[in-house]
Amino acid sequence: MIPPPLAALTSLHDTGADWPSLDVVWRVLTLQDYNTRLVVMSTMILGLASGLVGCFLLLRKRSLMGDALSHATLPGIGLAFIVMASMGGTGKHLVGLLVGATVTGVIGVIMVLVVRNTSRIKDDAAMGIVLSVFFGLGMVVLSMVLSMPSGHAAGLESFIYGKTASMIMQDFLLLSGVAAIALLCSLLLLKEFTLLCFDEGFGRSQGWPIHGLDIILLGLVALVTVVGLQAVGLILIIAFLITPAAAARFWTNDLRNMLILSALIGGVSGWCGASISALLPRLPAGAVIVLVAAAFFVFSLFFGKTRGVVRTRLAMYRLKRKVGRQHLLRAVYEIQEAACAETGKPPANIAIPFRDLLLHRSWSPAHVRQDLRRAKNEDHIDQFDGQSLRLSESGFGEAARITRNHRLWEIFLITHADIAASHVDRDADSVEHVLSPDMVRELEQRLDLDSIPESPHYISPQKDRPHDMVR
Amino acid sequence: MKTKSYNSAKTLPADDHSPQAPLSIHDLTVAYHRKPVLWDIDLDIPEGKLVGIVGPNGAGKSTLIKACLDLIPTASGLVQVYGQPYKKQRAMVGYVPQRESVDWDFPVSALDVVTMGLYRDIGWFKTVRKKHKEIARSALDRVGIAHLADRQISQLSGGQQQRVFLARALAQDATLYFMDEPFAAVDAATERAIVTLLKDLKNQGKTTLVVHHDLATVSQYFDWVILLNMRVVAAGPTEEVFTAENLHRTYGGKLTLLAEAGHALSQIKRP
């Protein structure tokens, strides 16, 4: 380990990054060095554990609690060093430091709970206070330790940002143990944790020890945080807990899948992050790992299968276009129907004036023109010259089908309101757009209809029209 | 109405089919931040009744239910379920919390939520088995949404979510039910389905307490009423207790104001 003054010196002369050679990249990727292997495996296992635990932390809406906990570990590290140094050792015994970190971390969490339960201060404020006070205290203790004459304290500050290079076999075993505990708890207590996160009131009414479960969950968070201090550092460990879980949420609506996915994302982030940080040792490992996890998150945010922004926006856009098209075609059909009814004929594909279409519903001309252009591109409109328009053969068929579905729904809603309300909770206007062919068949059977029924309600009269075509 | 027998309560075993009241509350007082919200509640709920808990906002209706279920600390008093403390009788009690009390964006399906009613039976560390899922499915069927079993809960309408909560309580197979505002913001079809379900439970001899907001439907839905406004104003069979006078005493200012307005209107002499 480079002592701080020397490190500062090298970074002063450090101009530009020295990129690793292909040979080095290959050695890191194939885990050929013992050290790299150890670090990469350790960080990957940490990622698995934090991905699992993070899911529950996220769903319990206690993300900030994890942050308070991790910041509260700092004074513990300093104090543990002082205690151990005063007992005659070097003070840098890893397990001792981590025990110290755990103790103050847990005290921090207890302080949050005490502040919340005994005063009217809310969760977020309580956590904010505890987080910053403990971190401040930690910085004070740490600077005291660093100015201690023994001089062995150098490197303690790596707990703040994480330093994977300093990891040894002991860390690997520790991380594996914690990961095993996290996995075991997630498997055995899946049902209990689900209840805790979803509906604690109901859980308590059933006699589940909600406080006990909360303590187990926070205990897991504390374990992952403390063993993750070395790799990721106490400032960023919370990101490593929450980010994989948040990313996984975009891909699935099932908690079990979310847990698996979150663990995978955490593991891969740890692996990639540690590899990159092994190649570019000047970059703080914690930051690189968190950035890789963040990349997963951003990708999921946009492209996630169930809730990704792109997908939902695209689905919304498609639905909007579909609704627009269907409204247009139905309006045209209704106008045609009314015009034909006047002459006593069945509805036929006759040309209608553009003005009639505008009056039929309160649409803006620009909006209707846009819909018409789209319909023309889809070959639903045969001709439109700005004054009158005519549907194509396929457009007329589609218009008839849409109108029929719409009216079937209206009748269905009127005659079978109970069933309809439990099947859909939308009004007929939008329901037709989600109607499946099966549903239409069921409707036809139920209502004993197969032709296009008359609209069960009055179609709004068109003002200013020379010939009133109201049925 | 009240035949308190504090002594015999302790000696009778829980599974003895004694004529104990399903729920008896003795001198219950609940306080939030030093301000009492429920004062000296004394109630004995008879078996097999469909009980409406009615009162203005902030009257402590939900608090009463939560205090009975040990969800909030009580300042004093004693709650007994079939003559025993609630802690010993959890298996006999079903609970439907307010719909808004949970995050419906949670990554579980309707069926998953209903199986939560069985978690107690399943026990620590064990996983949900096929037979539990079948029980849950039939509970969903009873509330008419079996076809939505695999739907994620955020994709359900408000009424459907309420039905999921009711199905979860049904899966508990209790004999005493507490329901916190099951009729709040549901569609007409769901309201009818809930009423049918409540009547069903009553016909099976089960006792149900329902926090209710709509005064217009009280006498139609419930055969027993508790009028609550921080204390019990009146409690008993609906036809005896649900009177204009008792409502005045329960709703105090708000209804009095309305009554005065009505009175004033009736005094206007029309030529």
Side-chain angles (χ1 to χ4, degrees):
Chain A
M1 188 177 299
I2 310 167
L6 199 62
L9 211 65
T10 50
S11 65
L12 259 185
H13 293 285
D14 207 355
T15 54
D18 33 49
W19 292 97
S21 66
L22 275 179
D23 180 47
V24 176
V25 172
W26 178 247
R27 285 178 68 84
V28 167
L29 286 183
T30 52
L31 304 176
Q32 285 185 26
D33 299 325
Y34 171 79
N35 244 339
T36 319
R37 195 158 57 226
L38 193 74
V39 167
V40 170
M41 295 294 281
S42 301
T43 336
M44 196 176 81
I45 285 170
L46 173 69
L48 287 171
S50 71
L52 279 176
V53 175
C55 271
F56 294 116
L57 190 64
L58 180 81
L59 292 173
R60 183 87 178 105
K61 302 191 167 52
R62 288 277 162 85
S63 309
L64 256 179
M65 189 70 105
D67 208 17
L69 196 158
S70 66
H71 280 75
T73 56
L74 190 57
I77 294 167
L79 291 173
F81 179 85
I82 293 174
V83 169
M84 286 188 292
S86 67
M87 275 160 55
T90 60
K92 274 175 81 180
H93 189 264
L94 179 71
V95 175
L97 292 176
L98 295 188
V99 168
T102 313
V103 169
T104 51
V106 169
I107 290 174
V109 169
I110 292 171
M111 298 275 273
V112 172
L113 295 176
V114 166
V115 170
R116 189 186 63 184
N117 292 342
T118 56
S119 69
R120 289 192 183 200
I121 291 171
K122 295 279 181 288
D123 255 8
D124 56 338
M127 288 188 260
I129 294 166
V130 169
L131 185 154
S132 36
V133 167
F134 270 74
F135 189 65
L137 183 69
M139 291 308 278
V140 169
V141 173
L142 207 63
S143 66
M144 274 162 56
V145 168
L146 288 173
S147 61
M148 264 164 75
S150 71
H152 293 295
L156 274 193
E157 71 278 7
S158 72
F159 282 107
I160 299 177
Y161 300 114
K163 189 159 191 172
T164 44
S166 58
M167 291 173 95
I168 52 171
M169 194 61 190
Q170 199 184 4
D171 295 290
F172 175 74
L173 294 176
L174 209 60
L175 279 165
S176 304
V178 167
I181 293 172
L183 186 66
L184 203 67
C185 284
S186 304
L187 285 175
L188 287 178
L189 294 172
L190 174 63
K191 157 171 124 282
E192 288 78 3
F193 279 160
T194 309
L195 197 56
L196 170 76
C197 298
F198 176 64
D199 193 350
E200 66 166 287
F202 182 78
R204 204 176 297 158
S205 83
Q206 287 256 287
W208 294 100
I210 292 298
H211 281 306
L213 287 169
D214 242 346
I215 289 168
I216 296 174
L217 180 55
L218 274 174
L220 284 175
V221 173
L223 271 179
V224 172
T225 303
V226 167
V227 298
L229 288 182
Q230 283 246 65
V232 186
L234 61 91
I235 292 184
L236 292 174
I237 184 74
I238 188 64
F240 202 28
L241 275 163
I242 298 303
T243 317
R249 186 69 185 89
F250 286 104
W251 297 93
T252 176
N253 276 328
D254 183 284
L255 181 59
R256 283 147 291 218
N257 294 338
M258 183 178 159
L259 282 165
I260 296 168
L261 205 59
S262 173
L264 281 176
I265 293 174
V268 173
S269 306
W271 178 33
C272 294
S275 300
I276 294 171
S277 136
L279 292 171
L280 304 165
R282 268 185 217 88
L283 299 179
V288 176
I289 292 168
V290 167
L291 282 178
V292 174
F296 274 107
F297 173 77
V298 171
F299 180 78
S300 308
L301 173 71
F302 285 107
F303 303 107
K305 200 175 130 237
T306 52
R307 327 174 105 217
V309 174
V310 170
R311 201 168 252 263
T312 47
R313 284 288 150 82
L314 206 65
M316 244 163 76
Y317 175 73
R318 282 203 192 113
L319 183 69
K320 216 175 130 185
R321 278 188 70 157
K322 192 174 167 191
V323 170
R325 185 182 74 221
Q326 298 199 347
H327 278 160
L328 177 79
L329 290 178
R330 186 156 59 83
V332 173
Y333 186 87
E334 279 169 1
I335 294 166
Q336 290 174 334
E337 187 185 42
C340 291
E342 277 199 335
T343 55
K345 286 183 205 147
N349 189 12
I350 52 171
I352 60 158
F354 179 57
R355 214 168 67 92
D356 284 8
L357 193 59
L358 281 183
L359 292 167
H360 194 70
R361 298 256 190 124
S362 45
W363 289 331
S364 74
H367 184 210
V368 177
R369 281 208 180 84
Q370 192 188 25
D371 278 350
L372 281 171
R373 257 199 313 281
R374 280 187 187 138
K376 202 167 181 191
N377 289 339
E378 287 160 347
D379 278 337
H380 285 132
I381 301 276
D382 215 15
Q383 49 115 347
F384 169 56
D385 54 12
Q387 294 302 316
S388 74
L389 63 117
R390 218 169 75 100
L391 296 176
S392 69
E393 215 38 56
S394 71
F396 183 70
E398 182 71 3
R401 188 187 68 83
I402 290 164
T403 311
R404 178 162 141 274
N405 279 357
H406 177 78
R407 292 187 186 166
L408 283 173
W409 251 115
E410 286 185 326
I411 296 168
F412 181 58
L413 283 174
I414 291 166
T415 54
H416 297 77
D418 274 17
I419 306 159
S422 69
H423 273 74
V424 284
D425 43 307
R426 301 171 174 89
D427 55 326
D429 251 24
S430 52
V431 149
E432 73 188 69
H433 311 298
V434 294
L435 212 61
S436 70
D438 280 357
M439 204 63 187
V440 175
R441 226 167 300 141
E442 193 190 323
L443 273 176
E444 286 169 354
Q445 277 174 2
R446 252 182 222 286
L447 300 163
D448 197 23
L449 297 164
D450 51 16
S451 60
I452 300 178
E454 289 197 348
S455 180
H457 65 80
Y458 182 81
I459 294 176
S460 64
Q462 289 97 51
K463 286 166 259 151
D464 310 314
R465 293 201 54 183
H467 45 282
D468 199 4
M469 306 193 307
V470 182
R471 218 185 351 265
Chain B
M1 174 179 101
K2 286 170 197 164
T3 44
K4 286 181 202 166
S5 48
Y6 292 96
N7 301 330
S8 63
K10 300 252 157 63
T11 52
L12 281 168
D15 55 351
D16 190 307
H17 289 287
S18 63
Q20 299 266 6
L23 179 72
S24 51
I25 304 171
H26 310 286
D27 302 326
L28 178 76
T29 297
V30 181
Y32 280 137
H33 291 293
R34 286 178 300 178
K35 183 181 158 238
V37 276
L38 285 176
W39 285 95
D40 296 331
I41 306 292
D42 246 311
L43 279 171
D44 279 290
I45 309 293
E47 179 119 45
K49 297 285 184 217
L50 188 45
V51 183
I53 304 176
V54 179
N57 284 332
K61 304 186 291 289
S62 294
T63 308
L64 178 62
I65 283 190
K66 285 180 183 159
C68 290
L69 294 169
D70 271 352
L71 295 180
I72 49 171
T74 57
S76 70
L78 180 71
V79 177
Q80 288 186 314
V81 175
Y82 290 99
Q84 299 268 334
Y86 171 65
K87 279 191 177 71
K88 293 188 178 168
Q89 303 282 53
R90 292 189 205 271
M92 306 182 84
V93 178
Y95 175 39
V96 180
Q98 280 186 23
R99 183 156 53 88
E100 297 81 40
S101 66
V102 303
D103 172 15
W104 288 94
D105 202 26
F106 202 80
V108 287
S109 68
L111 194 72
D112 290 333
V113 174
V114 179
T115 50
M116 287 177 193
L118 299 163
Y119 279 6
R120 221 184 111 78
D121 293 345
I122 298 168
W124 281 96
F125 309 125
K126 297 200 191 98
T127 52
V128 178
R129 304 218 172 268
K130 206 172 166 193
K131 63 172 181 194
H132 303 122
K133 288 194 176 165
E134 246 128 61
I135 297 171
R137 212 173 277 275
S138 70
L140 276 173
D141 197 37
R142 277 180 72 188
V143 296
I145 52 167
H147 60 288
L148 300 175
D150 299 318
R151 190 86 61 93
Q152 202 252 331
I153 51 172
S154 70
Q155 294 161 4
L156 301 172
S157 72
Q160 289 162 348
Q161 291 173 345
Q162 190 63 60
R163 290 185 198 210
V164 169
F165 260 14
L166 285 163
R168 181 174 68 175
L170 288 179
Q172 288 182 278
D173 196 24
T175 51
L176 171 64
Y177 282 102
F178 292 90
M179 302 188 180
D180 205 343
E181 305 234 15
F183 292 108
V186 298
D187 52 286
T190 300
E191 176 142 356
R192 271 194 297 275
I194 298 174
V195 171
T196 312
L197 184 72
L198 291 177
K199 299 252 150 93
D200 254 18
L201 290 174
K202 182 180 147 60
N203 290 339
Q204 291 168 27
K206 303 189 171 185
T207 312
T208 311
L209 280 87
V210 181
V211 171
H212 196 59
H213 240 114
D214 183 13
L215 290 179
T217 49
V218 168
S219 39
Q220 193 188 332
Y221 291 170
F222 303 106
D223 46 10
W224 230 79
V225 176
I226 300 168
L227 290 170
L228 195 74
N229 191 352
M230 295 175 76
R231 63 205 164 84
V232 175
V233 176
T238 311
E239 62 270 20
E240 289 170 26
V241 167
F242 198 66
T243 60
E245 195 204 336
N246 280 337
L247 281 172
H248 270 255
R249 287 168 57 208
T250 314
Y251 283 82
K254 288 167 204 163
L255 272 197
T256 317
L257 211 67
L258 279 179
E260 275 171 9
H263 184 70
L265 277 175
S266 70
Q267 294 298 305
I268 298 173
K269 292 201 176 81
R270 288 171 214 276

